[in-house]
Amino acid sequence: MIKKIFLIGNPNVGKSVIFSRLTGVRVIASNYPGTTIDITKGFLKIGANKIEVLDLPGTYSLDAQVKAEEAVISLLEDCSPKEAVVINIIDATNLERNLYLTLQLLEEGYPMIVCLNMCDDTKHRGITIDIKKLEEHLGVPVIPTCAVTGFGIKALIEKVEHAGRVAPKTLTHQERWVTIGKIVDDVQALSHRHHTLRELLEDISVRPLQGFFIAIGVIYASFRFVRFVAEGLIANVFDPLFLNLYQPLLEKLSVSLGQKGFWHHLLIGQLVNNQIDFKQSLGILTTAPYIEFAMVLPYIISFYFILGLLEDIGYLPRLAILLDNWLHRLGLHGYAIIPMLLGFGCNVPGILGTRMLESRRERFIAATLISIGVPCVPLQAMIFGLLGGYSGLYVASVYLVLFAVLLILGAILNKVMKGYSPELLIEIPPYRLPPVTLLAKKLYLRIKGFLLEAVPIVLLGVLVINLMMFFKIFDFATGIFSPIVSGLLGLPKEAAAALAIGFLRKEIAAGMLLPLGLSVKQLFIAVVLLALSFPCMATFVVLWKELGLRDFIRAIIIMLGISLAVGTLINLIIVS
Amino acid sequence: MKKMALVQMRERQKGKVVEVHAGTGLQNRLLSLGVYPGKEIIKLSQFALRGPVAIKVGRTVLALGHGMASKIIVELE
């Protein structure tokens, strides 16, 4: 009886898409090596048999050279061969390199099926593969699939109980490559054809000068797109919904609550000019949903749409090679740009993504830089929300300050920390055009994740704030911090409460800052501090888990030092 | 036949790997990616200031750091 299926293959061959197809469990898949950093589990039912399916991180070999490979090997060793089947997923457009791992797996004697994925892509690239002959060479079943469309998945499932195996043996590296050479010559035919536009684009994006201009263009267009779509959604969808449909209902509720008292304070909050003001009332039914749905959600939608598109096309690793030199100055290498970009959506996946970096030193630097200097989407929405009304110079300055902190802190950490950072060694994937359904699924998954995570905390946060304000607890607490907040940073002492509440989620703090009537200089300082200082609770926990207690405390001390220093500096420099 | 390090090759030049001057760890990592003695490669690009090098091996495009690239010795065709 088969109890387990292992999905094993090179990085970026589509394991996660196959996994989703087999189990119905939706996971994030992208077109760059290392999207799956953890082992994902799901179940496949064949008749009455419920089989556990494990989606493993991609690996080029079974030599245990990097962390992901070690994880795969130890899992395989723990399992009895009678109960497990290995589905080795290989990229049909890159048969030669993929077969190296296949041979190693065969040598170990696992019951195996080879899944020849991305079969649709071979046609465009002029490749034909003789499946029958490949089966003969390998001695195990070979199933052609195209996971993104679902082609071949049924055949794959039918074969699970008929996996083949060959007698274990040990080849040397050289013998393996010789064998692969013979197999590839025999089963693969290449038809000559002209270079396509796609290949031309693939080519020039890894060249220094052309690549640089492409990168500038891509980043600029993405930024414009994110703002255009988000602002359009706010003006045409979310604001009308809140102002025209939701507000009249709330006004009735407000009147029926008598426009004051405990419940009115909690649910509706303060009335501004005898009316509800979604940005300032600060009630559980007013400001809390408005911040999440009308201020943050539009940016989440547009940001993750663009990120998903760039991920699936396969553009991101090209940024890694362009930025490698620069990131080395921060003690990282080019591939660190990927967790950093993820961090711009939400710091949590960004910090988890640092696992794709090899050394502990790199992971510490990257995670610390992300939590301090990379603003997440909700925070950025607040930067625009709070400062967008003034000259664009203020918004730009916030980014400039964060960017400067990132560079300086990275350079210092690189100098101070022991050890050195390993060099870049990555595969640059070919460009692929992702099907719209797959993009939509990924976007849905990320939006759902955001809503499930953010909405309860924001509601809770606003409740806590209102209770504390009602019972006048803040007055006592803020008094303690007033020397720092007022003396060094030049903010009113009430701002301390807002910054502290930012620990729950950054967007709640913005909701508290708005009604304080701060000057633009004070707002600027508060926003910079909000970005630099304590990350939100979720990031805090992940940072702790990923770094361990000692490094975590180090990161926090760095963070507090920088926040105070930068805040004080700005307060001294800008004369309002 | 002229031997040189990967970093000394010009862009678009073809060559055959003759030697990887590195410890077994890096040798094996490169090997599993398809870079091993006897293998033909094309250099795609190189970035200034000791930046990374991009090469094509079979159907794989690889980006490797300058240090690694200087350890790979190739023979020009």
Side-chain angles (χ1 to χ4, degrees):
Chain A
M1 206 59 153
I2 296 155
K3 293 211 174 116
K4 273 186 183 164
I5 295 175
F6 293 97
L7 301 182
I8 302 181
N10 283 186
N12 205 33
V13 294
K15 290 179 294 298
S16 295
V17 188
I18 298 259
F19 175 79
S20 297
R21 291 272 173 200
L22 289 178
T23 60
V25 177
R26 287 171 177 179
V27 285
I28 300 267
S30 311
N31 181 14
Y32 52 79
T35 313
T36 308
I37 37 184
D38 245 336
I39 292 153
T40 325
K41 289 179 190 177
F43 290 95
L44 166 70
K45 264 191 158 171
I46 299 182
N49 191 6
K50 201 172 163 198
I51 306 171
E52 192 179 7
V53 183
L54 293 102
D55 181 19
L56 304 185
T59 165
Y60 291 108
S61 73
L62 291 180
D63 300 334
Q65 290 147 4
V66 285
K67 236 181 160 184
E69 293 180 3
E70 284 169 24
V72 171
I73 294 163
S74 69
L75 255 176
L76 279 174
E77 280 172 353
D78 286 350
C79 198
S80 124
K82 273 185 195 148
E83 294 177 341
V85 172
V86 169
I87 296 184
N88 173 217
I89 298 155
I90 63 182
D91 175 355
T93 61
N94 199 340
L95 193 59
E96 187 181 8
R97 200 206 56 220
N98 279 259
L99 281 178
Y100 189 80
L101 178 67
T102 308
L103 287 197
Q104 279 194 316
L105 286 166
L106 283 174
E107 285 165 32
E108 297 291 325
Y110 297 112
M112 218 163 95
I113 306 167
V114 170
C115 168
L116 193 65
N117 198 24
M118 308 200 196
C119 269
D120 55 328
D121 215 19
T122 50
K123 273 182 232 131
H124 311 294
R125 294 181 188 265
I127 305 167
T128 16
I129 295 171
D130 188 332
I131 310 241
K132 274 268 146 324
K133 269 191 189 165
L134 187 59
E135 272 186 346
E136 280 165 25
H137 278 287
L138 298 177
V140 296
V142 176
I143 311 289
T145 61
C146 173
V148 292
T149 62
F151 168 79
I153 298 297
K154 229 179 125 193
L156 186 66
I157 294 173
E158 281 163 8
K159 268 282 185 280
V160 164
E161 282 166 325
H162 309 283
R165 66 194 292 189
V166 291
K169 56 177 174 248
T170 320
L171 296 176
T172 65
H173 298 309
Q174 211 59 43
E175 285 168 341
R176 263 178 226 138
W177 282 116
V178 172
T179 317
I180 291 167
K182 279 184 202 146
I183 299 177
V184 172
D185 282 344
D186 195 30
V187 305
Q188 181 174 277
L190 302 176
S191 58
H192 184 76
R193 88 234 120 81
H194 293 290
H195 279 264
T196 57
L197 178 68
R198 173 161 71 168
E199 279 163 326
L200 183 75
L201 284 174
E202 281 174 8
D203 228 40
I204 60 173
S205 59
V206 296
R207 302 171 137 269
L209 198 62
Q210 294 98 317
F212 175 74
F213 285 115
I214 293 177
I216 298 272
V218 167
I219 291 169
Y220 180 73
S222 305
F223 188 73
R224 289 306 297 261
F225 177 89
V226 168
R227 285 202 62 185
F228 176 77
V229 170
E231 281 162 15
L233 282 173
I234 293 172
N236 299 313
V237 181
F238 291 100
D239 261 356
L241 276 178
F242 268 88
L243 298 177
N244 303 337
L245 284 175
Y246 190 50
Q247 188 162 5
L249 289 176
L250 286 180
E251 297 284 1
K252 274 185 200 148
L253 178 69
S254 168
V255 170
S256 70
L257 284 170
Q259 297 202 324
K260 58 177 188 292
F262 180 70
W263 289 108
H264 190 272
H265 179 79
L266 276 193
L267 298 175
I268 309 284
Q270 312 290 323
L271 295 181
V272 178
N273 298 331
N274 246 345
Q275 266 199 330
I276 291 166
D277 182 325
F278 280 118
K279 283 188 178 167
Q280 295 189 30
S281 290
L282 205 59
I284 293 173
L285 296 179
T286 53
T287 304
Y290 185 79
I291 286 181
E292 280 317 288
F293 291 102
M295 289 172 85
V296 179
L297 182 65
Y299 283 98
I300 292 276
I301 295 172
S302 59
F303 175 83
Y304 278 121
F305 176 79
I306 278 288
L307 183 71
L309 191 67
L310 290 177
E311 279 179 337
D312 287 4
I313 287 177
Y315 182 70
L316 299 185
R318 289 166 168 85
L319 277 181
I321 179 169
L322 284 168
L323 292 171
D324 185 50
N325 230 326
W326 297 101
L327 284 163
H328 267 295
R329 275 146 231 250
L330 311 184
L332 300 167
H333 65 53
Y335 217 42
I337 191 63
I338 290 185
M340 282 188 169
L341 281 177
L342 293 176
F344 275 100
C346 168
N347 279 187
V348 170
I351 290 170
L352 287 174
T354 58
R355 283 189 203 165
M356 57 174 87
L357 303 173
E358 294 96 336
S359 76
R360 202 184 151 77
R361 178 181 191 262
E362 276 180 295
R363 287 197 292 271
F364 175 79
I365 295 178
T368 308
L369 290 184
I370 290 171
S371 66
I372 295 176
V374 175
C376 62
V377 167
L379 183 59
Q380 294 181 72
M382 290 306 113
I383 294 175
F384 283 103
L386 287 169
L387 290 171
Y390 303 95
S391 107
L393 204 67
Y394 287 102
V395 174
S397 302
V398 175
Y399 282 94
L400 216 66
V401 169
L402 290 180
F403 189 60
V405 167
L406 204 84
L407 292 187
I408 295 169
L409 178 60
I412 293 174
L413 286 177
N414 186 32
K415 279 270 178 304
V416 181
M417 283 188 73
K418 270 183 272 177
Y420 69 101
S421 290
E423 283 191 86
L424 183 75
L425 176 56
I426 54 163
E427 185 192 347
I428 310 276
Y431 285 137
R432 292 188 180 116
L433 260 189
V436 181
T437 49
L438 224 61
L439 277 178
K441 264 185 200 160
K442 188 152 124 174
L443 185 61
Y444 165 79
L445 216 60
R446 281 172 157 162
I447 292 173
K448 194 174 124 191
F450 163 76
L451 289 176
L452 286 178
E453 185 124 311
V455 173
I457 295 179
V458 168
L459 292 179
L460 187 78
V462 172
L463 174 73
V464 170
I465 294 168
N466 278 332
L467 284 176
M468 287 174 89
M469 290 215 288
F470 195 80
F471 295 111
K472 312 240 182 289
I473 299 171
F474 275 135
D475 297 347
F476 169 72
T478 50
I480 302 172
F481 293 106
S482 70
I484 298 177
V485 176
S486 311
L488 286 179
L489 307 172
L491 297 174
K493 63 181 178 125
E494 290 82 9
L499 292 176
I501 284 294
F503 181 59
L504 284 176
R505 275 192 76 85
K506 298 287 180 185
E507 55 264 47
I508 314 178
M512 281 185 78
L513 285 171
L514 272 170
L516 290 180
L518 300 179
S519 72
V520 64
K521 176 189 167 186
Q522 288 174 321
L523 264 181
F524 179 68
I525 294 176
V527 167
V528 169
L529 277 180
L530 196 59
L532 290 175
S533 68
F534 274 95
C536 68
M537 210 162 46
T539 310
F540 199 76
V541 172
V542 173
L543 201 61
W544 187 336
K545 267 191 354 210
E546 289 300 304
L547 295 182
L549 186 61
R550 251 186 65 199
D551 281 354
F552 169 70
I553 290 172
R554 275 192 207 157
I556 295 297
I557 291 172
I558 294 173
M559 181 184 305
L560 288 176
I562 286 184
S563 311
L564 270 184
V566 173
T568 310
L569 208 63
I570 298 175
N571 185 31
L572 290 177
I573 293 172
I574 310 179
V575 197
S576 52
Chain B
M1 296 258 224
K2 216 175 145 197
K3 279 187 197 176
M4 57 172 74
L6 183 53
V7 285
Q8 293 163 313
M9 280 171 86
R10 266 178 287 126
E11 290 185 2
R12 316 241 134 238
Q13 254 180 342
K14 271 189 195 173
K16 197 181 251 182
V17 177
V18 283
E19 212 181 335
V20 179
H21 261 305
T24 27
L26 180 56
Q27 269 190 9
N28 282 343
R29 267 183 83 189
L30 287 168
L31 193 93
S32 61
L33 286 163
V35 181
Y36 53 92
K39 188 74 187 171
E40 272 190 15
I41 57 149
I42 304 172
K43 178 162 174 178
L44 295 178
S45 64
Q46 175 160 342
F47 285 72
L49 302 167
R50 295 180 58 78
V53 173
I55 58 169
K56 191 160 192 177
V57 197
R59 298 196 155 262
T60 311
V61 176
L62 292 177
L64 27 107
H66 196 275
M68 281 182 203
S70 58
K71 289 172 190 156
I72 298 173
I73 311 296
V74 287
E75 198 173 62
L76 294 189
E77 290 184 340

